[in-house]
Amino acid sequence: MSPGATIVPTPCVVIDADVLEHNIASMAQVARERGLQLRPHAKTHKIAEIARLQLAAGAVGLTVATIGEAEVFADAGMRDLFIAYPLWVGQAAAHRLTAVADRARLTIGVDSTESAGQLARTLGEDATRIAVRVEVDSGHHRSGVLPEDAVAVAEAARAAGLTVTGVFTFPGHSYGPGQAAPAVDDEQAALSAAVTALGGAGFGELEISGGSTPSALLSSGDTLTELRPGVYVFGDAQQWELGRCRPEDIALTVESTVVSRRRVAGAPGRLILDAGSKILGSDRAAWATGYGRLLDHPEARISALSEHHATVEWPSGAPLPPLGTRLRVVPNHVCLTPNLVDEVQVVRAGVHQGSWTVAARGKNS
Amino acid sequence: MSPGATIVPTPCVVIDADVLEHNIASMAQVARERGLQLRPHAKTHKIAEIARLQLAAGAVGLTVATIGEAEVFADAGMRDLFIAYPLWVGQAAAHRLTAVADRARLTIGVDSTESAGQLARTLGEDATRIAVRVEVDSGHHRSGVLPEDAVAVAEAARAAGLTVTGVFTFPGHSYGPGQAAPAVDDEQAALSAAVTALGGAGFGELEISGGSTPSALLSSGDTLTELRPGVYVFGDAQQWELGRCRPEDIALTVESTVVSRRRVAGAPGRLILDAGSKILGSDRAAWATGYGRLLDHPEARISALSEHHATVEWPSGAPLPPLGTRLRVVPNHVCLTPNLVDEVQVVRAGVHQGSWTVAARGKNS
């Protein structure tokens, strides 16, 4: 019987506190050894108790994705928050940002001259209270400007009355087999080019922020001043299959029950678990072996996922677990899972410790 | 400016009440004309106000996926609930089921002799108060027994003291281009075979329940007595691309803001919207054109989705919408979206009417 069994009805999210703390300590040590500041992305967990563990281990502050997340973590006492997102800030959002800035050092992303101007206009006299970092596209091709365009954005921000304190990028193209090392090269090259150009335009002493979980262990302090990994606290099936964590490093699982099964002569058996896309999320990269993994049965494959069903192919010849068996599922992309539940169960050495509220669940805006 | 604009911060879920009511009335009429009872699947919306509209239009009751959903809709006054899921029922679940049965006619799914026995044992003397329907696999190969095995399950249930009132299937393999008609043939064949065998074993007057949204319009009263579509209330990008609804039939959109954009010489332009997988869900069938569609710009493609970013390829040559523009995104699979928010905004003829609570959000167990 797996840790957490019988605590609460399945499917439920279970966090192994020992593994969690080990992961937090390991990444903190990596950052320290390289002379980098660590600003973990809290969108992964959305949980105040975990943020406090990260700060206690030496993180300089938190990264968040939305104003709503910043509000929740400011309410929880966090005093240094970076919204790593190119916000388009209307008047209502400006009021929310200044209310956060009353309680925390607040930095936000900007990736165009227009959004810098819009931000300064809506903030008005509060424009000096919120720092901005220019987002650079290092090859993921999502938001962010090309390195050579960073100066124009920074100059527009400065001219509008904003304080430019840094540059950042998300090397999201590190999420693929063999992609981490070249993505780190791209990250360093893009940030270096942007910082050199910005230095020539009078922007000095910049915070230089990069780092996804797959790339963080390869990033060096030669270019960066700060890392922003998120997934590392829990690990997930993607990191496992990319070789960026081991099964024993996985701190979050979805405990689920075998509700249906069928033996098929000469073919893999089939189990149905009660965990589906409404708790695991349905992210599946082209290179993934399935829709998540079973932590204690790495040979099994989750071949299909509905909202409340995971279809598991069980190896031919191996006995099928009985109906009612609890199995631990590792989500493919763990950032989706805490956001799908109100609370998570915490275990330590297999003993239930209590639960934590997912305080920033659903804070999409 | 699209309906709902400026109501609440983006991304937000907006429901067009006129379209919703039209969809509810249309499916009710289809069922009536074919002599079929309609028991809509409420997992799609999870909203009491929408369930009431479905019942007012003639639905005989609701389908739900979990005990938690049954509890919410029983609390909201619904008096006939079918949990279309092969539950494995422990003692705690049995108590919850009997509490629902105190307030509503309750039916649950069963697909094995073991789960029938387990259900009867844990219900004890309450076993007669909850009806069961045997789940049949009609080709989707998820849960459910083969038609020839339905009698064994029904007999085990009857012997254990349960009342078998019907059979059901989910022809989920109807979700693909050209798949609806053959899936309906499979559905009818599997249910007919099961019902014939059950009749021979003394099980008569059965409720015969099928029907997904893609297949419902093709199902006839010759085999079935009941339809259980869910998605039809809202429509979504999958149904649009399968030709099962038109853009003007889509009642739910995620209103989002253009936060970043880039022109690329000679190539499609690129927009970044603030709606990502944490509000749209990340389901993407192999045949889908992208991760959702823009309702008012069918020529655009959502080529990538992160948690808070949708990457939109904008047609070459067409002017890019300005930063700050609000655009309406149609999720690929709408069942995931209400579950990701606490409330939805309701508009009628473009005028904001108020909001509805997603009462069964997160009720995974």
Side-chain angles (χ1 to χ4, degrees):
Chain A
M1 191 161 286
S2 58
T6 77
I7 298 170
V8 294
T10 63
C12 60
V13 175
V14 179
I15 290 176
D16 186 310
D18 292 318
V19 179
L20 174 76
E21 290 170 8
H22 175 79
N23 292 344
I24 288 171
S26 295
M27 187 63 81
Q29 185 179 345
V30 165
R32 258 194 311 276
E33 286 173 358
R34 297 183 189 178
L36 291 166
Q37 297 199 305
L38 182 62
R39 185 185 291 277
H41 210 313
K43 73 180 167 70
T44 302
H45 54 73
K46 293 177 173 266
I47 292 171
E49 288 84 350
I50 296 179
R52 287 192 198 106
L53 292 173
Q54 292 174 314
L55 293 169
V60 296
L62 294 182
T63 306
V64 296
T66 67
I67 301 174
E69 288 183 346
E71 289 168 333
V72 167
F73 287 106
D75 287 347
M78 311 299 156
R79 293 291 163 255
D80 190 335
L81 300 168
F82 170 38
I83 306 176
Y85 196 85
L87 297 174
W88 180 260
V89 175
Q91 204 58 60
H95 287 138
R96 295 171 66 199
L97 289 170
T98 53
V100 172
D102 288 341
R103 293 173 288 164
R105 175 179 181 249
L106 180 62
T107 307
I108 73 174
V110 62
D111 85 340
S112 66
T113 57
E114 298 98 312
S115 59
Q118 168 79 5
L119 177 64
R121 270 192 303 279
T122 54
L123 285 174
E125 62 186 21
D126 290 314
T128 55
R129 300 178 51 212
I130 296 171
V132 299
R133 292 176 174 179
V134 178
E135 183 175 7
V136 174
D137 178 2
S138 58
H140 188 41
H141 304 321
R142 197 172 65 179
S143 47
V145 292
L146 297 174
E148 58 266 35
D149 295 329
V151 170
V153 174
E155 288 185 333
R158 183 168 60 184
L162 297 165
T163 306
V164 179
T165 58
V167 293
F168 74 107
T169 193
F170 174 63
H173 54 314
S174 61
Y175 278 75
Q179 297 299 305
V184 168
D185 291 343
D186 291 345
E187 173 191 49
Q188 318 269 316
L191 289 174
S192 293
V195 167
T196 301
L198 286 164
F203 294 91
E205 293 191 47
L206 295 171
E207 296 160 330
I208 307 165
S209 179
S212 60
T213 291
S215 65
L217 299 183
L218 305 173
S219 295
S220 83
D222 294 345
T223 304
L224 300 182
T225 65
E226 177 184 284
L227 291 175
R228 300 190 323 279
V231 168
Y232 77 96
V233 287
F234 297 139
D236 60 18
Q238 287 187 163
Q239 302 302 321
W240 179 6
E241 297 196 341
L242 288 172
R244 295 282 149 198
C245 74
R246 303 163 303 172
E248 55 266 40
D249 301 325
I250 291 173
L252 182 150
T253 55
V254 174
E255 205 164 285
S256 62
T257 298
V258 178
V259 295
S260 179
R261 59 183 199 155
R262 192 183 302 172
R263 286 186 191 82
V264 182
R270 193 172 75 215
L271 300 179
I272 304 296
L273 308 181
D274 62 1
S277 57
K278 279 180 173 166
I279 193 160
L280 296 169
S282 39
D283 275 14
R284 183 186 170 169
W287 44 263
T289 66
Y291 292 89
R293 293 288 289 266
L294 297 189
L295 184 57
D296 306 299
H297 300 277
E299 69 288 4
R301 289 290 174 272
I302 301 180
S303 58
L305 202 65
S306 310
E307 288 154 67
H308 300 279
H309 306 71
T311 302
V312 178
E313 290 187 9
W314 201 254
S316 313
L320 287 178
L323 291 169
T325 303
R326 288 193 173 211
L327 295 174
R328 299 192 290 177
V329 184
V330 184
N332 266 348
H333 181 196
V334 76
C335 297
L336 300 178
T337 291
N339 190 49
L340 288 162
V341 295
D342 293 325
E343 58 180 29
V344 298
Q345 306 305 316
V346 183
V347 301
R348 198 182 285 278
V351 179
H352 189 213
Q353 307 290 306
S355 62
W356 288 335
T357 299
V358 186
R361 181 199 54 72
K363 299 299 181 191
N364 275 310
S365 59
Chain B
M1 192 160 286
S2 58
T6 77
I7 297 170
V8 293
T10 62
C12 60
V13 175
V14 178
I15 291 176
D16 186 310
D18 292 318
V19 179
L20 174 76
E21 291 170 7
H22 176 78
N23 292 345
I24 289 172
S26 296
M27 187 62 83
Q29 184 179 345
V30 164
R32 257 194 311 276
E33 286 172 357
R34 298 182 190 178
L36 291 166
Q37 296 198 306
L38 182 63
R39 185 184 292 276
H41 210 313
K43 74 179 166 69
T44 302
H45 54 74
K46 293 175 173 267
I47 293 171
E49 288 84 348
I50 295 179
R52 287 193 198 105
L53 292 172
Q54 292 175 313
L55 293 169
V60 297
L62 294 182
T63 305
V64 296
T66 67
I67 302 175
E69 288 183 346
E71 289 169 334
V72 167
F73 286 106
D75 287 348
M78 311 299 156
R79 293 292 163 255
D80 190 335
L81 299 168
F82 171 38
I83 306 176
Y85 195 85
L87 298 174
W88 181 262
V89 175
Q91 204 57 62
H95 287 139
R96 295 171 66 198
L97 289 170
T98 53
V100 172
D102 288 340
R103 293 173 288 163
R105 175 179 180 248
L106 179 61
T107 306
I108 72 174
V110 63
D111 84 341
S112 67
T113 57
E114 299 97 312
S115 58
Q118 168 80 4
L119 176 64
R121 270 192 303 279
T122 54
L123 285 174
E125 62 187 20
D126 290 315
T128 55
R129 299 177 52 212
I130 295 171
V132 299
R133 292 176 174 180
V134 178
E135 183 174 6
V136 174
D137 178 2
S138 57
H140 188 41
H141 305 320
R142 197 173 64 179
S143 48
V145 293
L146 297 174
E148 57 267 35
D149 296 328
V151 169
V153 174
E155 287 184 334
R158 184 167 59 184
L162 297 165
T163 306
V164 178
T165 58
V167 293
F168 74 105
T169 194
F170 174 63
H173 54 315
S174 61
Y175 279 75
Q179 297 299 305
V184 168
D185 290 344
D186 291 346
E187 173 191 50
Q188 318 267 318
L191 289 174
S192 292
V195 168
T196 299
L198 286 164
F203 294 92
E205 294 191 47
L206 295 170
E207 296 161 329
I208 307 164
S209 178
S212 60
T213 291
S215 65
L217 300 182
L218 305 172
S219 296
S220 84
D222 295 345
T223 303
L224 302 181
T225 65
E226 179 183 282
L227 290 175
R228 299 190 323 280
V231 169
Y232 77 97
V233 287
F234 296 139
D236 60 18
Q238 287 188 163
Q239 303 302 321
W240 178 6
E241 296 196 342
L242 288 171
R244 295 282 149 197
C245 74
R246 303 164 301 173
E248 56 265 41
D249 301 326
I250 291 173
L252 182 150
T253 54
V254 174
E255 204 163 287
S256 62
T257 298
V258 178
V259 296
S260 180
R261 59 182 198 155
R262 193 184 303 172
R263 286 186 192 83
V264 182
R270 192 173 76 216
L271 300 180
I272 304 296
L273 308 181
D274 62 0
S277 58
K278 279 181 173 165
I279 193 161
L280 295 170
S282 40
D283 274 13
R284 184 186 169 168
W287 44 264
T289 65
Y291 292 90
R293 294 288 289 267
L294 297 189
L295 185 57
D296 306 298
H297 300 277
E299 69 289 3
R301 290 289 174 270
I302 301 180
S303 58
L305 202 65
S306 309
E307 289 154 66
H308 299 279
H309 306 69
T311 303
V312 178
E313 291 187 8
W314 201 255
S316 313
L320 286 178
L323 290 169
T325 303
R326 288 196 172 208
L327 295 174
R328 298 192 291 178
V329 183
V330 184
N332 267 347
H333 182 196
V334 76
C335 297
L336 300 178
T337 290
N339 190 50
L340 288 161
V341 295
D342 293 326
E343 58 180 30
V344 298
Q345 307 304 317
V346 183
V347 301
R348 198 180 286 279
V351 179
H352 189 214
Q353 308 290 306
S355 62
W356 288 335
T357 298
V358 186
R361 181 198 54 72
K363 298 298 180 192
N364 274 312
S365 58

